[in-house]
Amino acid sequence: MALTVTDEICDGKPRLLVNWSKTKRNQVQEYYEPNDRAEIQRIIQINQGRKIRLLGSNMSPNGIGPGSNKGIALSTIRLNQILDLDGNNQLVRVEPGVKIEQLLEFLAKSKLTLHNLPSTNGMTIAGLVQTSCHGTGLHLATLEEALTEIKVINAKGDEVILTEANNGILFHSAKCSLGTFGVIVELTLKCVPSYYLRETLKVMSLPEARSDHEQRIETIKHVKYHHLPYTGHVVVYEYQEISHADYLEQVASSNVPIAPEEQKASLLQMYYDSFKTDLNHSTYCEFVEEYKAKSFADLREALLRKDVLNPDHIKAVNHAELDFWKKSQHSIVDQSNKRLIFECGGRQHVREFAFPIEAPMQELDLVDEILDLIQTQRIPAPVPIEQRWSCGSQSLLSPVYAETNPATSKFSWVGIIMYLTKNEDLNRRISEAFEAYYGQIVETLGAKYQLDEHLAKIGTIEGQNEGFMRYRSNRLSSRLKRFNQQREEFDPQGMFLSEAAAEILQ
């Protein structure tokens, strides 16, 4: 029985759910966007015995948001108020639909921020913590570790308050639980004072990056690598915290890269050579004058899509991009909020793994093996293979869960990507190629490096590698059993256990 209410945004009508990267879609029978907690409780009470999938902003690039079940979906996107700020204790209380961008703007007014930031700012706070999202920094935790209190409406329609002091491991499990404990309606997060960074972008050969890698990740607050397949190089981002005084002293002398048309010269030349029969320009100079305003991302995506499954073409594009990054090396000082978040690009397939670092250079060894696999198997792998770091989490479901000493445990995250086109027939072939790419990584390297997948990017239901899921289930069986026992306290009938979550938790 569908809930009948007067508000049109909570009407239980069918809705086509499409994720951010437009790679997954699902038509649900009833879709709700409640305005408040009372409406959430009514939806739960009237739909006892049925499944309810919970959604935020649907930013996950894979299928965990839309899912495949045709039943009920409930989004908390309308619960988007910042409720309170305790400046003395640096605590902020928010509703689940508050987006990262909104929260950062609010906190900046009080010279506060979060301890770390993900790549994109369109996610809701609930989605951010429920999937153990991360930024980068070897000594910095995933974002759910900022939580100090959660209020959740369980399957009975009761509102429950969870804290570490009162609930211990149950609280830590609920922090990162894919919405399976119930509908989160309020979150309290610990903030930190806002800070400034010196961002240094360097292009290095792989041996050069290795030479001072250990010191780099240990001493610099945020480090990120963008590995460039087929080139033997990596783009190294270093974000070192600096004082406000140093920021004021250095801001005027920040090293701004050269003119955009010079930065993009190799990409522009390749674009002209690839598309000149379709261009109305008699000379290359005329073409550059018109196309120099095109962004780096637009040029790269157009070039990739020219022959997206041809490894020789992708290799050439990657080398043109290498030239772009060599001409983009710089040192810039700015507020952390403005340097750590960036635009992730257009339609794409993404997978990301986390794994423990148990020996020096182990995380670079993994990437070397992936790069070798790309080379020997002639995989059309574009730039980048992104690599980031974090310490451990106290949440059982987090890919970086650490049984003991999470704050000193070391993990790395590695993400792979393939871009999609406007041609859906071609996209099916790209999807097959991407799944084969991913499959070779998990089959050859999964057990060796103890890989676990980012919960927001895991390939649930369709396209999942069965062998890897069996390996994952066996390796995590004890943790998953403990998590499911705690989840069942809140939801014994599995009202909030979507088919995607069930696949992950089996």
Side-chain angles (χ1 to χ4, degrees):
M1 174 181 178
L3 174 63
T4 302
V5 294
T6 55
D7 193 323
E8 63 179 4
I9 65 166
C10 185
D11 59 6
K13 289 182 179 179
R15 173 72 69 92
L16 178 65
L17 302 179
V18 182
N19 67 342
W20 165 76
S21 55
K22 299 181 176 63
T23 56
K24 306 290 182 182
R25 57 187 64 226
N26 179 33
Q27 180 82 30
V28 294
Q29 295 168 350
E30 299 170 33
Y31 175 80
Y32 298 99
E33 281 186 5
N35 290 292
D36 54 37
R37 301 179 196 190
E39 285 189 354
I40 291 171
Q41 289 171 318
R42 291 181 62 203
I43 293 168
I44 291 171
Q45 290 163 359
I46 290 177
N47 287 290
Q48 288 293 309
R50 302 181 70 194
K51 295 278 189 182
I52 300 177
R53 178 191 299 104
L54 303 180
L55 298 172
S57 57
N58 223 359
M59 280 290 292
S60 168
N62 288 4
I64 198 166
S68 60
N69 185 280
K70 306 302 180 184
I72 305 170
L74 185 155
S75 172
T76 54
I77 199 71
R78 304 285 293 194
L79 278 71
N80 56 12
Q81 299 301 304
I82 298 172
L83 302 172
D84 181 56
L85 175 65
D86 178 351
N88 291 331
N89 293 304
Q90 298 180 348
L91 295 171
V92 64
R93 192 161 52 89
V94 303
E95 290 187 314
V98 169
K99 293 191 175 181
I100 298 167
E101 181 178 26
Q102 174 189 355
L103 179 58
L104 292 178
E105 289 179 358
F106 173 82
L107 291 175
K109 297 173 184 176
S110 300
K111 297 185 178 180
L112 294 171
T113 188
L114 298 178
H115 75 275
N116 210 346
L117 297 176
S119 299
T120 59
N121 60 13
M123 290 180 283
T124 64
I125 300 302
L128 180 81
V129 301
Q130 285 289 283
T131 54
S132 191
C133 285
H134 62 99
T136 191
L138 188 64
H139 306 296
L140 298 173
T142 45
L143 274 300
E144 78 278 1
E145 292 296 276
L147 287 170
T148 63
E149 182 180 285
I150 309 170
K151 292 183 181 178
V152 59
I153 297 177
N154 65 19
K156 296 178 182 179
D158 298 329
E159 185 173 311
V160 181
I161 301 175
L162 296 172
T163 65
E164 181 177 31
N166 294 332
N167 307 99
I169 190 65
L170 184 66
F171 167 70
H172 292 302
S173 292
K175 292 189 305 186
C176 168
S177 55
L178 301 176
T180 60
F181 273 57
V183 186
I184 292 176
V185 292
E186 190 177 303
L187 310 98
T188 302
L189 300 100
K190 181 70 174 177
C191 307
V192 300
S194 58
Y195 58 96
Y196 293 89
L197 293 171
R198 181 191 302 111
E199 174 190 282
T200 305
L201 186 156
K202 308 173 184 177
V203 178
M204 299 182 179
S205 68
L206 296 177
E208 287 173 335
R210 273 182 172 269
S211 66
D212 57 356
H213 169 73
E214 294 291 337
Q215 181 182 7
R216 180 181 300 116
I217 62 171
E218 285 285 354
T219 60
I220 295 177
K221 185 160 189 170
H222 308 277
V223 175
K224 176 176 67 178
Y225 289 178
H226 278 184
H227 298 273
L228 314 181
Y230 292 112
T231 72
H233 285 77
V234 57
V235 181
V236 175
Y237 294 82
E238 298 176 351
Y239 303 91
Q240 185 63 288
E241 184 173 359
I242 60 174
S243 68
H244 184 236
D246 285 342
Y247 164 76
L248 293 176
E249 181 181 333
Q250 297 173 29
V251 66
S253 60
S254 283
N255 173 23
V256 179
I258 60 176
E261 59 267 33
E262 293 181 56
Q263 281 180 284
K264 296 179 288 189
S266 293
L267 290 165
L268 285 166
Q269 183 66 61
M270 188 174 182
Y271 189 99
Y272 180 74
D273 293 341
S274 299
F275 297 100
K276 59 185 174 184
T277 57
D278 303 320
L279 299 170
N280 296 317
H281 301 89
S282 58
T283 67
Y284 176 70
C285 291
E286 288 181 3
F287 158 78
V288 169
E289 193 60 33
E290 180 175 340
Y291 278 77
K292 66 183 181 182
K294 268 189 173 291
S295 72
F296 153 73
D298 287 343
L299 289 169
R300 178 185 63 180
E301 288 183 29
L303 287 170
L304 289 171
R305 290 166 180 161
K306 177 73 174 177
D307 200 357
V308 68
L309 293 177
N310 181 344
D312 293 323
H313 175 73
I314 298 303
K315 180 178 179 179
V317 176
N318 289 0
H319 275 275
E321 184 167 343
L322 170 61
D323 183 69
F324 170 83
W325 289 117
K326 284 182 174 179
K327 294 173 179 174
S328 301
Q329 296 179 91
H330 63 253
S331 179
I332 294 174
V333 296
D334 209 339
Q335 294 176 322
S336 62
N337 293 0
K338 296 180 180 178
R339 304 315 304 176
L340 296 175
I341 290 177
F342 62 95
E343 176 55 51
C344 282
R347 293 185 67 191
Q348 56 193 247
H349 283 307
V350 182
R351 291 293 179 89
E352 187 174 10
F353 307 97
F355 57 100
I357 303 172
E358 298 177 339
M361 301 288 186
Q362 185 183 28
E363 71 272 34
L364 296 189
D365 293 340
L366 168 68
V367 175
D368 282 350
E369 293 204 51
I370 293 174
L371 293 171
D372 287 345
L373 186 69
I374 290 169
Q375 192 91 26
T376 58
Q377 299 298 315
R378 286 179 51 78
I379 296 170
V383 171
I385 295 175
E386 184 178 50
Q387 185 164 31
R388 290 182 280 174
W389 287 264
S390 77
C391 65
S393 168
Q394 298 176 82
S395 296
L396 282 168
L397 204 56
S398 171
V400 295
Y401 171 72
E403 185 85 36
T404 58
N405 303 318
T408 56
S409 299
K410 300 175 182 180
F411 291 83
S412 185
W413 301 73
V414 173
I416 62 172
I417 190 169
M418 273 192 185
Y419 292 96
L420 295 163
T421 71
K422 296 179 181 179
N423 183 321
E424 293 307 318
D425 289 334
L426 178 56
N427 284 344
R428 280 189 283 273
R429 292 170 53 208
I430 295 170
S431 298
E432 292 171 1
F434 185 72
E435 290 305 326
Y437 175 21
Y438 153 81
Q440 289 183 72
I441 292 173
V442 298
E443 287 168 11
T444 59
L445 304 174
K448 179 179 179 179
Y449 288 95
Q450 303 177 63
L451 303 182
D452 197 7
E453 285 200 85
H454 191 316
L455 293 171
K457 299 173 183 177
I458 195 166
T460 53
I461 308 305
E462 58 178 325
Q464 184 56 273
N465 180 280
E466 293 182 6
F468 179 68
M469 287 304 283
R470 284 195 300 272
Y471 145 76
R472 181 181 182 276
S473 181
N474 291 335
R475 188 170 73 82
L476 304 183
S477 59
S478 175
R479 277 166 53 190
L480 294 176
K481 182 179 179 180
R482 290 162 62 194
F483 177 86
N484 282 319
Q485 288 172 343
Q486 293 160 6
R487 177 188 61 77
E488 288 167 5
E489 290 184 31
F490 274 70
D491 186 13
Q493 303 304 315
M495 171 179 274
F496 301 110
L497 186 63
S498 69
E499 74 287 355
E503 184 84 358
I504 294 168
L505 298 177
Q506 68 178 0

